[in-house]
Amino acid sequence: MDNEARIDKWLWAARIFKTRSIAADACKNGRVTIGGMNVKPSRPVKVGEVVDVKKPPVTYSFKVLKCIEQRVGAKLVPEVYENVTDPRQYEILEMSRISGFIDRARGTGRPTKKDRRRMDAFVEPAMFGFDDDDDE
C-alpha cells in the first residue's frame, strides 16, 4: 500500500485541501483530474502521476512523489509532491487579483453602480486599444 493511496486522502494529507470532505467534493464535482480524466474520491493515486486541481481561476498541477494517507507537517510537503503548475496559470491568478474584486475590503459586498462605472471606465479603453482623446 506504500505505492498508492486514495486521491481524496492524498489531497488532504498533502495539504492541497483543508479537509478531506472538501477534497472528496472537489473530486465528485470534476475539479480533480489525472491524465485528463475526472476521478472519483476512491481512485488510487500512484507515484509519478500528475494530479490537476481546479481552484478557479487557476488549475494547479502536482506530480506525486510519495503516496500518503496521513497528514504531514507543512515542512514535509516538498517530499510529498512537486508543483508542476504552468507559469501562465500564475499570470491568470495575478490578473484576477489586479482586477480589484479580490482586494476589496472584507464585508463591503458587491461593487456599487459608481464602482462598476469606474471599473468600466478604467478597463474598456485599454481593452479596445483606443482612448477618449483620439475622438477629437
Side-chain angles (χ1 to χ4, degrees):
M1 188 86 181
D2 283 338
N3 57 353
E4 64 181 42
R6 283 177 57 116
I7 187 70
D8 62 338
K9 285 186 178 183
W10 185 84
L11 290 168
W12 167 75
R15 296 180 171 265
I16 295 168
F17 288 103
K18 191 172 183 177
T19 66
R20 184 173 164 205
S21 61
I22 294 172
D25 287 341
C27 293
K28 289 176 190 171
N29 295 327
R31 291 191 298 264
V32 178
T33 59
I34 296 177
M37 298 187 62
N38 291 341
V39 296
K40 292 182 178 181
S42 61
R43 186 206 187 273
V45 65
K46 297 177 180 131
V47 174
E49 289 183 322
V50 176
V51 179
D52 295 323
V53 179
K54 294 176 194 147
K55 289 186 177 183
V58 179
T59 302
Y60 296 98
S61 299
F62 305 103
K63 183 177 180 183
V64 179
L65 300 178
K66 190 175 183 184
C67 292
I68 58 170
E69 289 190 348
Q70 296 294 316
R71 197 161 172 108
V72 295
K75 290 182 180 179
L76 300 176
V77 167
E79 298 173 8
V80 177
Y81 66 81
E82 178 184 353
N83 189 347
V84 292
T85 305
D86 186 22
R88 285 181 277 163
Q89 294 294 323
Y90 289 112
E91 290 174 14
I92 293 170
L93 183 62
E94 188 62 30
M95 290 302 291
S96 68
R97 282 194 181 127
I98 291 171
S99 71
F101 290 105
I102 293 179
D103 293 329
R104 290 185 67 80
R106 186 173 204 133
T108 57
R110 292 173 50 176
T112 63
K113 277 188 180 181
K114 188 175 182 180
D115 291 339
R116 183 187 55 82
R117 288 184 186 124
R118 284 183 184 160
M119 284 188 282
D120 287 347
F122 177 74
V123 172
E124 285 182 16
M127 282 180 58
F128 298 110
F130 57 88
D131 295 322
D132 293 332
D133 298 337
D134 294 340
D135 293 339
E136 295 175 13

